[in-house]
Amino acid sequence: MSLFDLFKRKKSSEVAKNRLMMILSYERRGLPPNFAEILQQDLVQVFGKYPQFDSHRIEVEIKNDGSVDQLWISIPFAKEESE
């Protein structure tokens, strides 16, 4: 990936393909269509109790690398006050 790839807009067909892949992944797993949102809200409640984490930036996604579906969760640490 080159630096110029960062500034390219994704084609609408590519975005539609990714959305369809995500919907198919959810259906194959028997998950509700808003599973990632529900899980993210639960994680925000749990990690919101711990000031070491930035619970407002928690991300949850189901990704497919072409061969396997993966649950991807990012829970960032909170920035220290001195930073």
Side-chain angles (χ1 to χ4, degrees):
M1 183 164 108
S2 74
L3 181 61
F4 295 109
D5 290 340
L6 295 173
F7 300 106
K8 288 183 180 175
R9 294 182 65 188
K10 288 186 177 184
K11 294 180 181 177
S12 62
S13 62
E14 185 177 332
V15 172
K17 178 183 171 186
N18 290 338
R19 287 182 183 160
L20 181 59
M21 297 285 286
M22 184 179 70
I23 291 169
L24 291 173
S25 294
Y26 279 50
E27 287 184 2
R28 273 185 269 161
R29 301 280 174 221
L31 301 172
N34 58 347
F35 174 75
E37 293 174 31
I38 294 169
L39 183 56
Q40 183 177 11
Q41 290 170 0
D42 288 347
L43 291 171
V44 167
Q45 287 182 348
V46 170
F47 284 91
K49 299 175 185 174
Y50 303 95
Q52 296 88 351
F53 298 101
D54 185 354
S55 63
H56 298 291
R57 295 188 333 162
I58 290 176
E59 296 178 52
V60 177
E61 292 181 44
I62 294 181
K63 296 183 176 183
N64 183 305
D65 69 353
S67 62
V68 65
D69 295 330
Q70 301 174 352
L71 177 62
W72 183 86
I73 299 173
S74 173
I75 304 171
F77 283 102
K79 290 183 178 181
E80 293 183 26
E81 303 226 356
S82 61
E83 291 182 15

